[in-house]
Structure formats: structure tokens, C-alpha cells
Amino acid sequence: AQSVTQLDSQVPVFEEAPVELRCNYSSSVSVYLFWYVQYPNQGLQLLLKYLSGSTLVESINGFEAEFNKSQTSFHLRKPSVHISDTAEYFCAVVSGGSYIPTFGRGTSLIVHP
Amino acid sequence: NAGVTQTPKFRILKIGQSMTLQCTQDMNHNYMYWYRQDPGMGLKLIYYSVGAGITDKGEVPNGYNVSRSTTEDFPLRLELAAPSQTSVYFCASSQTGSTEAFFGQGTRLTVV
């Protein structure tokens, strides 16, 4: 069985500060990992993904995440956040055997001016 | 591109009523999913489908039913609505299970 743990339900941060949103997963087989973002009253949209290859993946708006197999983690980072990054962030895992995404509980990123 | 379209966006139901949440995708995706989102609980899988004519239960299927007669459509049926079904419902699709999922805008359902 696969599962995802997002360790922080809410992360407040000041604008231009760095941020890390934590995600740990459990799975006994190979995995595909995703981060999705949800803005208020909208559906989820893909932020970045790890399928294979380089363990460091980046998004077009400055976020990055690193796949760490030994620690079963896929933490999301951004060196300098903007007010517009305020949103809910979901980590998701798909195991090679199930092909069904399992989502974490989400982390609310709140960026203060 | 329309992507994944859900209707309605909002609905208020009385206890015991029934309704169908509609979901259509125009990307020719094989996989489709229904999730419910409750505050602080993330997304819980209700039902999923890996192709037309094939559906299966997810984590929280009780009180719901689905069908998949075409690749494009994946409606979710609520029978005998209960207050515990008050939630935001999301439909999603993906080409395969290992590719990204595309989400609809959601249906906010209140059962009173």
C-alpha cells in the first residue's frame, strides 16, 4: 500500500523568505511523485513531478523538489516566495503497481507581506 | 482546450435526495477519478476507472456509484444524500496512472 505524509498543515512565511514544504511517502515498489497546487476555489494543477532520471526537479515559477529514495522524501522548496504563492500544496505518490494517485492532507502556504 | 469539465459548480441537496455529478474530459485519457476534499483531510478517492466499461472502488465508495460508458464521461451518482456527503468533489483524468492528473474545477455540495 502507498501513503503520503505532509508533516505541516500550515506554513506561514514572510515575502522573499525561503520555504520548505515537507513530504514523505511509503511504498514498497518504485514510485512516481508529484506536487500539485490549489488556489482558492479552483481545482488542483501540477506544479512539478518526478518520474525518473535526475532526482532534482524544477517548476517554471521557481519551485524545486528533490527525490530522496533513502529517506523516502520529496520536499518542495523555493528560495524566495511571493505573495502570489499563497495556496494549498499537495504531495502525491503513484506506485508502479497501483497507478492510482494517493494524496497527502495538504499544506497551506501563507505568505505575509 | 476544455480539459476536465465538471457540472454543476454548486448544489444544495436535502437529506434523502439523489443527484448526479457530471464529469467530461476531452483529452482521450484512459484513467478517470473521483475524489472528495474535506478541510484538513486532503483528497480521498471515491471511485476510479481505467477505461470505458471498467470501474473500481476507492477508499470511500459508500453512498456513491459510478459508470463509464464512454472514454469521455465519468458521472458520479449520489443516492439518498446524507450530511456526511457535504464536501467538494473533484473529477480528474490522466493518460496513464503514472502521468500527471488533470483536475476539474470542483463541485461544492451541501446536504441539509
Side-chain angles (χ1 to χ4, degrees), chain A residues 10-88:
Chain A
Q10 202 171 81
V11 173
V13 64
F14 286 107
E15 194 173 19
E16 299 184 3
V19 70
E20 179 181 81
L21 306 184
R22 296 179 291 170
C23 172
N24 287 88
Y25 69 91
S26 67
S27 173
S28 59
V29 297
S30 61
V31 295
Y32 308 102
L33 294 159
F34 304 83
W35 275 100
Y36 290 85
V37 60
Q38 183 183 34
Y39 299 103
N41 300 314
Q42 293 188 25
L44 282 70
Q45 52 188 283
L46 182 73
L47 189 60
L48 47 75
K49 60 186 177 185
Y50 169 78
L51 301 181
S52 64
S54 173
T55 57
L56 183 65
V57 291
E58 298 176 352
S59 72
I60 59 173
N61 56 353
F63 283 95
E64 64 178 32
E66 185 160 19
F67 170 54
N68 188 318
K69 188 175 181 179
S70 63
Q71 297 189 359
T72 61
S73 68
F74 191 55
H75 301 332
L76 181 69
R77 301 184 184 94
K78 189 171 185 180
S80 176
V81 296
H82 302 287
I83 296 287
S84 59
D85 293 324
T86 294
E88 191 85 12

Side-chain angles (χ1 to χ4, degrees), chain B residues 19-65:
Chain B
M19 75 165 293
T20 299
L21 281 66
Q22 301 292 343
C23 176
T24 298
Q25 54 95 3
D26 63 358
M27 297 171 283
N28 201 34
H29 285 169
N30 293 316
Y31 286 67
M32 295 188 75
Y33 319 89
W34 274 105
Y35 290 91
R36 60 177 287 172
Q37 183 181 27
D38 301 297
M41 300 302 293
L43 279 76
K44 300 288 187 185
L45 182 67
I46 305 171
Y47 271 95
Y48 68 96
S49 169
V50 300
I54 305 169
T55 62
D56 208 347
K57 296 177 181 179
E59 186 180 358
V60 289
N62 291 343
Y64 308 94
N65 274 300

Side-chain angles (χ1 to χ4, degrees), chain B residues 29-101:
Chain B
H29 285 169
N30 293 316
Y31 286 67
M32 295 188 75
Y33 319 89
W34 274 105
Y35 290 91
R36 60 177 287 172
Q37 183 181 27
D38 301 297
M41 300 302 293
L43 279 76
K44 300 288 187 185
L45 182 67
I46 305 171
Y47 271 95
Y48 68 96
S49 169
V50 300
I54 305 169
T55 62
D56 208 347
K57 296 177 181 179
E59 186 180 358
V60 289
N62 291 343
Y64 308 94
N65 274 300
V66 294
S67 60
R68 182 99 182 267
S69 57
T70 66
T71 299
E72 295 79 19
D73 300 310
F74 190 42
L76 177 71
R77 178 81 177 163
L78 277 72
E79 304 284 359
L80 298 174
S84 60
Q85 294 178 305
T86 293
S87 187
V88 181
Y89 292 84
F90 287 101
C91 179
S93 72
S94 64
Q95 180 57 43
T96 70
S98 60
T99 55
E100 68 177 282

